[in-house]
Amino acid sequence: MKRKALRVRSEESIPPYVTEAESRKQHSDSPLCNSLEWSGGVAIEEGQLYSIGFHPWSLPPEGSLTALIDQMQSRLASTPQIVAIGECGIDKVRSNATRSEQLVWLEAQMRLACQLDRPILLHTVRAWAEMIEMRSQMAQEFAQLPPMVLHGFRARGAVAQMMLSKGFALSFGRRYDAEALHLAYEAKALLVETDEIPNGLTHRMAIEATYTHLAEELATTPEALVSRVAATPFWQQIEG
């Protein structure tokens, strides 16, 4: 199960962010963790929040879906630091599963996020239409949808505008389309992440550098960008 660490703002004004663990290694002893230590349970670090989800790069057999989704729900209920679902989604370029299998896993996780009212982090590669359709399906079933974030957004402005208009938030790292970044900022639907940690940098150093980099492109200050990100529905729900 893929996990992403989420660091919240602190008294020292550390910017909120979404970051992946450095390792993507698939652990053979459990399908519930392929990024951090696994020794009978997930290692939870003090002062961090987490999400939990099945990534489209390494999905378990479809026959195990019900049991594993139930186990995910149990983890969410028993571990307060796990606050969101994901990274999950559809990848038409790289996956161990077919498109239809990926859709089944995405639907199950998105429905769980809606049932529990948990934010969800979405991995989307060449599958914008499918993601819009899945969100529309959830909107027909649930009166209110949780924040849905498109992780690692690098598509062009036209795609950004389309996804923003459908209610998605966009999360950016150091590689991005400038027009898309500006559109998300103006829509107040921008999140900042450290998907890649350069050698020699801690998570804190990497996220601060990313905020500085994006703030320069947006002609604002890192502090102002922190405030804008913290005001998004994603972070308001997590910190509320």
Side-chain angles (χ1 to χ4, degrees):
M1 186 173 289
K2 186 71 173 293
R3 299 190 309 162
K4 305 176 72 63
L6 309 171
R7 188 184 299 277
V8 255
R9 290 174 299 144
S10 71
E11 295 179 357
E12 300 177 9
S13 298
I14 302 301
Y17 69 90
V18 179
T19 179
E20 288 195 29
E22 294 92 335
S23 172
R24 296 177 182 270
K25 180 180 178 182
Q26 177 73 36
H27 289 256
S28 60
D29 52 353
S30 175
L32 291 177
C33 179
N34 67 354
S35 60
L36 294 181
E37 297 82 8
W38 183 272
S39 56
V42 175
I44 298 294
E45 297 179 23
E46 184 178 355
Q48 290 207 26
L49 303 178
Y50 295 85
S51 72
I52 191 167
F54 293 96
H55 195 283
W57 287 358
S58 54
L59 289 172
E62 191 174 324
S64 63
L65 184 146
T66 299
L68 291 177
I69 292 297
D70 287 347
Q71 191 169 348
M72 181 194 293
Q73 184 170 356
S74 177
R75 280 289 168 77
L76 287 160
S78 63
T79 312
Q81 282 181 261
I82 301 178
V83 297
I85 291 174
E87 183 181 340
C88 58
I90 304 173
D91 193 322
K92 292 184 178 180
V93 175
R94 176 182 178 183
S95 179
N96 70 327
T98 66
R99 173 182 170 276
S100 61
E101 289 170 336
Q102 292 182 60
L103 282 168
V104 168
W105 281 96
L106 172 61
E107 180 179 353
Q109 292 175 91
M110 191 174 282
R111 179 168 284 107
L112 182 61
C114 293
Q115 290 170 343
L116 302 179
D117 194 26
R118 298 291 187 109
I120 186 167
L121 305 168
L122 299 164
H123 176 99
T124 309
V125 177
R126 300 183 184 178
W128 309 114
E130 289 89 342
M131 199 61 68
I132 290 171
E133 175 60 28
M134 191 68 71
R135 191 182 195 281
S136 177
Q137 179 179 330
M138 294 299 114
Q140 294 176 24
E141 298 182 29
F142 299 92
Q144 183 174 340
L145 300 182
M148 297 186 178
V149 180
L150 297 174
H151 157 73
F153 195 85
R154 299 178 188 173
R156 296 185 182 275
V159 177
Q161 185 64 65
M162 176 177 65
M163 302 310 286
L164 289 165
S165 72
K166 299 300 182 180
F168 293 93
L170 311 182
S171 183
F172 296 87
R174 291 189 62 87
R175 290 188 284 177
Y176 57 87
D177 177 86
E179 181 184 4
L181 179 71
H182 282 269
L183 286 168
Y185 182 75
E186 293 164 6
K188 299 181 180 180
L190 183 155
L191 299 177
V192 178
E193 65 183 59
T194 53
D195 194 27
E196 299 172 355
I197 309 295
N199 290 335
L201 295 186
T202 64
H203 284 159
R204 173 172 176 158
M205 293 165 62
I207 191 59
E208 289 180 344
T210 304
Y211 267 90
T212 298
H213 177 70
L214 296 180
E216 289 176 355
E217 171 62 37
L218 293 165
T220 187
T221 65
E223 293 76 15
L225 183 54
V226 168
S227 296
R228 180 68 68 97
V229 171
T232 60
F234 178 90
W235 281 104
Q236 288 293 305
Q237 181 166 335
I238 286 178
E239 296 188 326

